[in-house]
Amino acid sequence: MTFPTEGFFMRFADLLAYADIDDLNRIALTYRCRCDGHSKNDLIQGILSRVFRDDEIAHQYADLDDDERRFVWALLAEGRSCFTLEELLAKARQAGADGSGRQCVAALLKRGWLFRGVTRSTRHGFVFPTDVKERLFRYLERDIRQAVPLAGPPEVVRDERGLLLDDLYTWLRFVAETPIRLTAEGILHRQQQHRLFQQFAVMEDPVDRASTAVSRSRSGHYPRRFAFLYDFTIYIGFVAEGEGPFGLSLTEQGERLLREGTDLDLGRELFRFWVRTTKHPIPALPQLLVFLYLACRDGWAREDDLLARLSSDVTGDLFANPASALRNEVLPMGLHLGMLVSGLASNGNRLWTFTPLGIAWVGERVGFAEQSIVWQEV
């Protein structure tokens, strides 16, 4: 399995050729190589003979501590292979390595999982070898598959592919055709919310107070799915908020979308927007998505198994309850976005699998490396 990378990348053997003899000796010591420590060629050949043995990557991964494993996951969730030291230390902090970020970097340097930059464009950075990344993915996929075995097909399937887009158009037509009177707080009256939600392919009920969903809407006064659509149409510029009691209107861009369509891949843009707005409350979201990708891209996986496998390898301390994040935010929104399909087995077990679009979006890391969007309460 290969995850595409963006920008600069090099393979392990190429980077060994550029490494100095002190770095090669450190890597050789890690892999217990018997070779001439004064011969660069002998060191390289000895390292290459050991590092890609089938059991070596499992041994080295098992030898990492929890902070270092979470750090590896944070790097694997990236679509690029070159990082500055500041970026690496930030990812180590995200992984929960409080004060030991340099130790995490050192642990990967001595294994050859990171190299100091070797070209003019990367000399102040660090490179994650592409083939090491691929082997780590293959090992972790096998490891996860043992803990999360694929299940048989479900009795009942819930598939919402295309429905969020349908409801986006329904919402834009509602704004275009309905005089929308807002409350003093600037939200739709409950009666209008009821009218709108009854037209949706996936119905929701108005909320009486701000939702406690992890992925926070700007206002917090709408149910999760509609709040997400509302925020997306404001952010991308299809709907404008104005002053006065009739505060919502279609923009010229929104009118053009209803009239002529758009060149944008709106499904992809919805996914990108969700990733960017959810990374702030859930910094480990990219790791969670890659974990799901490895666990159920090839078939149906039981939700209970997915939740049980969320160990210290996958998430850091910045989000205290990864199982809650997966159950209450990632899986439901993955279903709404058309990234996942949900099923129910005859024994009542909830099952999940990826759609082809979800495989493409996560495989390409759509939105993973982009800046988070943080809404201010209104």
Side-chain angles (χ1 to χ4, degrees):
M1 178 193 63
T2 301
F3 269 61
T5 57
E6 297 170 359
F8 180 87
F9 67 92
M10 290 185 74
R11 301 181 73 81
F12 183 77
D14 300 326
L15 289 159
L16 284 178
Y18 283 103
D20 63 39
I21 200 159
D22 289 335
D23 288 336
L24 291 175
N25 271 293
R26 278 192 288 272
I27 296 171
L29 181 63
T30 300
Y31 290 101
R32 308 170 302 282
C33 299
R34 294 181 180 179
C35 46
D36 182 357
H38 300 288
S39 167
K40 189 169 181 179
N41 183 64
D42 197 43
L43 284 165
I44 290 173
Q45 294 305 314
I47 292 168
L48 287 173
S49 71
R50 299 218 30 128
V51 73
F52 288 143
R53 288 183 179 180
D54 287 343
D55 61 343
E56 189 62 43
I57 199 119
H59 171 78
Q60 293 297 331
Y61 186 79
D63 203 38
L64 298 172
D65 66 26
D66 288 346
D67 287 348
E68 292 161 357
R69 289 179 188 173
R70 291 192 294 260
F71 180 54
V72 168
W73 270 95
L75 297 183
L76 290 176
E78 284 281 343
R80 57 200 172 106
S81 296
C82 191
F83 306 88
T84 66
L85 178 60
E86 292 73 19
E87 289 171 332
L88 291 176
L89 295 178
K91 290 190 176 300
R93 287 193 298 272
Q94 175 192 320
D98 218 3
S100 60
R102 291 181 184 273
Q103 178 181 319
C104 289
V105 174
L108 269 60
L109 282 170
K110 75 177 187 177
R111 288 170 170 80
W113 295 2
L114 280 178
F115 283 83
R116 291 175 178 86
V118 295
T119 68
R120 177 179 297 180
S121 62
T122 65
R123 66 179 181 271
H124 299 302
F126 295 80
V127 180
F128 194 163
T130 307
D131 46 352
V132 170
K133 178 184 285 192
E134 291 171 351
R135 285 177 177 267
L136 275 166
F137 269 118
R138 287 198 293 270
Y139 162 69
L140 290 171
E141 185 169 35
R142 290 195 303 269
D143 184 55
I144 290 171
R145 180 66 63 243
Q146 291 178 357
V148 187
L150 294 179
E155 294 278 321
V156 180
V157 171
R158 181 174 177 183
D159 186 345
E160 294 189 11
R161 276 177 284 184
L163 299 185
L164 193 65
L165 276 178
D166 290 345
D167 288 346
L168 183 151
Y169 282 96
T170 298
W171 162 234
L172 295 183
R173 284 191 293 269
F174 188 84
V175 174
E177 298 167 1
T178 308
I180 299 177
R181 180 174 291 276
L182 304 178
T183 68
E185 292 80 19
I187 64 174
L188 276 72
H189 283 276
R190 288 179 64 84
Q191 183 178 10
Q192 286 196 317
Q193 290 187 50
H194 274 298
R195 283 181 51 205
L196 172 63
F197 298 164
Q198 287 173 356
Q199 299 176 43
F200 280 169
V202 177
M203 292 179 59
E204 294 179 294
D205 294 318
V207 296
D208 294 322
R209 57 185 174 82
S211 170
T212 57
V214 172
S215 179
R216 192 60 272 123
S217 165
R218 292 172 64 254
S219 67
H221 293 289
Y222 299 122
R224 180 204 305 267
R225 188 173 179 275
F226 173 65
F228 174 75
L229 276 179
Y230 181 94
D231 289 348
F232 176 77
T233 54
I234 295 292
Y235 179 83
I236 204 169
F238 293 150
V239 175
E241 294 176 313
E243 301 294 333
F246 299 99
L248 294 178
S249 60
L250 277 193
T251 64
E252 181 178 341
Q253 185 181 358
E255 293 173 351
R256 188 182 311 116
L257 173 64
L258 287 182
R259 186 175 61 249
E260 303 171 5
T262 179
D263 292 334
L264 287 174
D265 182 345
L266 286 178
R268 184 186 180 91
E269 291 305 311
L270 284 161
F271 178 80
R272 184 194 305 274
F273 180 75
W274 173 68
V275 169
R276 294 183 63 194
T277 53
T278 308
K279 283 193 304 178
H280 178 69
I282 309 179
L285 177 67
Q287 292 97 298
L288 289 172
L289 289 173
V290 170
F291 164 74
L292 278 177
Y293 181 101
L294 295 177
C296 57
R297 72 189 181 103
D298 290 328
W300 294 94
R302 285 180 286 270
E303 182 175 310
D304 289 346
D305 290 341
L306 292 170
L307 296 173
R309 180 58 180 80
L310 280 177
S311 65
S312 60
D313 294 9
V314 179
T315 58
D317 297 334
L318 292 182
F319 195 78
N321 195 336
S324 175
L326 193 71
R327 181 192 295 114
N328 297 322
E329 173 66 20
V330 179
L331 293 176
M333 281 304 299
L335 176 67
H336 295 326
L337 288 160
M339 176 184 81
L340 298 170
V341 177
S342 173
L344 197 64
S346 57
N347 61 4
N349 282 334
R350 176 67 60 187
L351 308 176
W352 296 90
T353 191
F354 262 80
T355 66
L357 281 175
I359 289 173
W361 295 336
V362 177
E364 295 169 21
R365 312 294 207 289
V366 173
F368 282 25
E370 297 178 40
Q371 186 175 358
S372 297
I373 298 170
V374 183
W375 291 117
Q376 299 296 319
E377 290 288 326
V378 297

